[in-house]
Amino acid sequence: MGFNDIILILDSSVRLAVPILLACLAGLYSERSGIVDIGLEGKMLGAAFAAAAVAALSGNVWLGMLAAIFVSVCMSMIHAIASINLRGNQVISGVALNFLAAGLTVFVGHSIFRRGGSTPNLPKEARIGPIELPFAQEIGQVPFIGPIYEQLISGHSIIVYFAFAAVPITAWILFRTRFGLRLRAVGENPTALDTAGISVFALRYQALVITGVLCGIAGAYLSTSQGASFSENMTAGRGFIALAALIFAKWKPWNALWTCLLFGVLSAAQIRLQGVEFPLIGEVPVQFIQAAPYVLTVVLLAGFIGRAVPPKAVGLPYVKER
């Protein structure tokens, strides 16, 4: 494997890690506020369908992006009402959203497009294209540094750059702002926050709105940037991988970045390893190679994470004392 092969794998790793990273950050806001969000998968799926459907019908990818965010935030508000106002079981609420999205996207997609739940392929103008950074071709001629800049750093869609910028922004919000302090406090001790005259319900709603926005962008990325259409269950468990990454990262933004990149590298490597002849054992079945990133993720979580302590009030409905 040469240097160019490594660059190609890393480039694929970045693209594959982006939706998981956005969903992981979305879950971080939610769980830091004390709300378990199993519904990340469903929000991404609903957003992916909304983005592709609206972009296909209107020819405008940015209208598709707005539709994706709108659908995801609406689903997030359903979860908020069930978890915060009605004090329902947060896990069941999230699972219900996943089932709702899985069924509704196929039903609505088939009703509109008559393609078995899929949307038509989007033309180039209805997709979020790559951005070529300044002097990418010129710097690309420089040995070693050039390919890194031209192929690995340049040439991604705006959502990729947004996802990586969201990590330091999230870290700054959580640990350097008053809102972040209150958000962390409401996930640890909502009673103390309520006693100080700060609305627990309002903070949790705000956190779930942010969760909805980030999941909406992640879903739009899948169907209008990484892909060119929506297909049934196209999120393929990325929301659950994001939850695993969040635990592995111990609810910290920078740790979440490295964890998601790790899964991206594993996913990119399994694509390159399909059909490769290994010494002594020959060609490994494709199904085993495809399952390798998920198996390794479980192994890493089980054996190398150490003790992950979640926010103390996560999953517990808050009852305001009279």
Side-chain angles (χ1 to χ4, degrees):
M1 182 180 292
F3 178 69
N4 286 334
D5 293 323
I6 295 174
I7 293 295
L8 289 174
I9 290 177
L10 292 177
D11 182 59
S12 298
S13 302
V14 168
R15 299 175 194 271
L16 292 169
V18 163
I20 300 173
L21 176 59
L22 287 170
C24 185
L25 293 176
L28 189 149
Y29 279 100
S30 177
E31 298 205 359
R32 279 286 190 174
S33 73
I35 303 295
V36 174
D37 203 343
I38 304 295
L40 296 175
E41 177 85 359
K43 293 171 190 175
M44 290 173 65
L45 189 61
F49 171 76
V54 172
L57 293 172
S58 68
N60 189 319
V61 68
W62 301 112
L63 286 179
M65 173 71 76
L66 290 175
I69 293 173
F70 176 77
V71 167
S72 182
V73 170
C74 286
M75 295 180 72
S76 203
M77 290 302 95
I78 293 172
H79 185 53
I81 292 170
S83 303
I84 300 172
N85 297 89
L86 302 180
R87 298 195 292 273
N89 187 292
Q90 297 172 13
V91 174
I92 293 175
S93 173
V95 171
L97 285 178
N98 292 336
F99 281 115
L100 177 66
L104 204 57
T105 51
V106 174
F107 173 76
V108 175
H110 181 68
S111 300
I112 298 174
F113 301 106
R114 301 295 177 183
R115 290 170 171 262
S118 300
T119 62
N121 286 334
L122 299 175
K124 186 177 180 180
E125 60 271 14
R127 296 183 59 196
I128 301 175
I131 298 173
E132 185 173 311
L133 297 180
F135 309 109
Q137 293 184 355
E138 291 80 1
I139 297 176
Q141 307 303 317
V142 179
F144 187 73
I145 297 176
I148 294 176
Y149 181 75
E150 182 183 20
Q151 299 180 43
L152 184 58
I153 299 176
S154 179
H156 298 288
S157 76
I158 191 171
I159 298 179
V160 174
Y161 299 113
F162 169 79
F164 282 89
V167 175
I169 291 172
T170 297
W172 178 75
I173 289 173
L174 283 180
F175 301 108
R176 293 290 185 270
T177 67
R178 182 177 297 177
F179 171 76
L181 176 63
R182 290 175 175 177
L183 190 69
R184 288 183 287 125
V186 79
E188 295 288 342
N189 193 341
T191 303
L193 205 69
D194 193 19
T195 304
I198 300 168
S199 174
V200 173
F201 286 11
L203 273 171
R204 288 184 170 178
Y205 263 94
Q206 290 167 24
L208 285 173
V209 167
I210 297 172
T211 297
V213 170
L214 291 174
C215 283
I217 296 172
Y221 173 79
L222 288 173
S223 60
T224 63
S225 182
Q226 190 179 74
S229 65
F230 174 84
S231 58
E232 182 179 354
N233 195 33
M234 75 177 305
T235 48
R238 288 179 175 87
F240 300 112
I241 292 296
L243 284 173
L246 183 60
I247 298 170
F248 189 37
K250 300 183 180 180
W251 294 269
K252 296 178 181 178
W254 286 108
N255 291 357
L257 172 62
W258 308 126
T259 304
C260 293
L261 283 175
L262 171 63
F263 185 81
V265 169
L266 295 175
S267 297
Q270 65 91 4
I271 295 173
R272 299 279 294 183
L273 291 174
Q274 292 181 23
V276 173
E277 293 281 345
F278 290 91
L280 301 178
I281 59 176
E283 185 177 337
V284 178
V286 173
Q287 293 81 358
F288 179 82
I289 296 294
Q290 290 175 337
Y294 301 93
V295 173
L296 288 172
T297 300
V298 172
V299 171
L300 288 170
L301 284 171
F304 300 97
I305 181 178
R307 187 182 179 190
V309 181
K312 293 179 181 178
V314 70
L316 302 176
Y318 178 68
V319 182
K320 186 177 177 68
E321 296 180 1
R322 300 292 179 183

